[in-house]
Amino acid sequence: MKGTTRARRRTDWVAAGGAIALVLLAATSAHAEGRGDVRVVSAVVNGGANVTIGTTKKVTFPIAITVRDNSGVKGLTSVSTFNRSNGYGFFDWTGTTCRKKTSTTSVCTATMTVDPAWIRASDDIDSNKVAGLWTVNATVKANDGDYWISDSIAQYKVKRASRLTTDAAPEPVAKGAKLTITGKLSRANWETLKYQGFTGQVVKLQYRKAGAAHYSTVKTVKTGSSGQLSTKMTVTSAGSWRWYFPGTTTTARIVSAGDAVALK
């Protein structure tokens, strides 16, 4: 039944924009060839930052591609991006602008967009496996008709968004007493479009004394079966507590809001 539902959604996806066909074609028929001397000089995805996707909000990011040809650059004729290990992708190429730098070189910026609701329709595996290392292909064209199909012009990471909470109790607390700091680490599930607990992850407990400028790590704790966190600390002064998760290859880093605790 699940396979039938996914197949139906895949049809809707192709009808909506055709991006799935574009991406899978790029993944399975990869090559680097063309005509003339037009070339991609460099490419930068999302300003060098990871692309993080949650469960509800559309995500849009740029791919800035620097192109050079002796006749000048006409633009991009295709852009595709997909997971390096399994060839799946879900971003839609929604527009391009080109800025001329010199008579021979231009920076053409492709805009890529995804709605999380599209993701499950873009593959026939667990969609969460599409997080990780991604690559970019593009076809560029010059004013004199030269063109070049370029493979793997940039690599970047697509990550599942994460959430992290902190609660310290009791508040206020007596000096020398035990304080219990709890929390929960969860991440976006692209199959269900909900956040679910992230199990077995090492999370840092951080503390900032009242009046201090920065937090410091005081302990590490591993998340439980539902992503829960809990530990006890002896209180010596008023201050704020928070959890910090450094992230993984497929899941975004996150810092919780601090919980300030006063002394009795």
Side-chain angles (χ1 to χ4, degrees):
M1 181 64 71
K2 182 177 179 180
T4 302
T5 301
R6 192 182 291 266
R8 182 167 62 250
R9 290 184 179 183
R10 179 189 291 270
T11 301
D12 294 342
W13 166 265
V14 174
I20 224 22
L22 171 66
V23 170
L24 292 184
L25 177 62
T28 56
S29 305
H31 54 289
E33 62 182 40
R35 181 183 66 200
D37 58 355
V38 62
R39 292 293 186 275
V40 170
V41 176
S42 65
V44 178
V45 179
N46 199 29
N50 297 324
V51 175
T52 300
I53 304 168
T55 60
T56 57
K57 294 182 180 179
K58 281 188 178 182
V59 174
T60 298
F61 66 94
I63 303 177
I65 303 171
T66 302
V67 187
R68 180 182 298 149
D69 184 82
N70 59 4
S71 70
V73 176
K74 187 169 185 178
L76 309 177
T77 58
S78 73
V79 182
S80 59
T81 180
F82 48 88
N83 181 285
R84 282 189 63 83
S85 63
N86 53 43
Y88 288 103
F90 43 67
F91 292 109
D92 195 1
W93 175 30
T94 55
T96 304
T97 58
C98 289
R99 178 175 56 86
K100 188 175 181 179
K101 294 183 65 178
T102 69
S103 61
T104 61
T105 305
S106 294
V107 177
C108 292
T109 301
T111 300
M112 312 301 290
T113 302
V114 66
D115 185 319
W118 301 346
I119 298 177
R120 190 171 181 268
S122 70
D123 59 66
D124 52 14
I125 59 175
D126 178 351
S127 296
N128 297 305
K129 294 181 179 179
V130 185
L133 186 63
W134 282 49
T135 191
V136 177
N137 288 1
T139 301
V140 297
K141 192 170 184 179
N143 288 329
D144 59 4
D146 291 351
Y147 72 94
W148 196 258
I149 305 168
S150 302
D151 286 349
S152 197
I153 58 175
Q155 294 186 20
Y156 65 105
K157 289 177 181 176
V158 175
K159 296 193 175 189
R160 297 160 66 178
S162 54
R163 290 177 174 175
L164 187 56
T165 62
T166 299
D167 183 54
E171 299 181 60
V173 65
K175 185 175 182 179
K178 291 286 187 180
L179 185 69
T180 300
I181 302 100
T182 58
K184 182 175 181 178
L185 174 65
S186 56
R187 61 176 175 170
N189 184 324
W190 294 337
E191 286 280 301
T192 63
L193 297 181
K194 297 179 180 180
Y195 281 80
Q196 68 177 44
F198 197 5
T199 304
Q201 301 303 304
V202 175
V203 181
K204 298 178 180 181
L205 176 64
Q206 297 185 329
Y207 173 71
R208 184 183 66 191
K209 187 176 180 179
H214 304 290
Y215 280 88
S216 298
T217 298
V218 294
K219 196 173 188 179
T220 58
V221 178
K222 187 173 287 189
T223 58
S225 59
S226 299
Q228 71 273 17
L229 292 156
S230 183
T231 192
K232 293 182 181 294
M233 298 294 294
T234 300
V235 176
T236 58
S237 61
S240 296
W241 301 84
R242 73 180 187 185
W243 295 103
Y244 166 71
F245 174 60
T248 69
T249 301
T250 60
T251 304
R253 66 180 290 276
I254 187 79
V255 182
S256 73
D259 188 4
V261 178
L263 295 183
K264 288 183 178 179

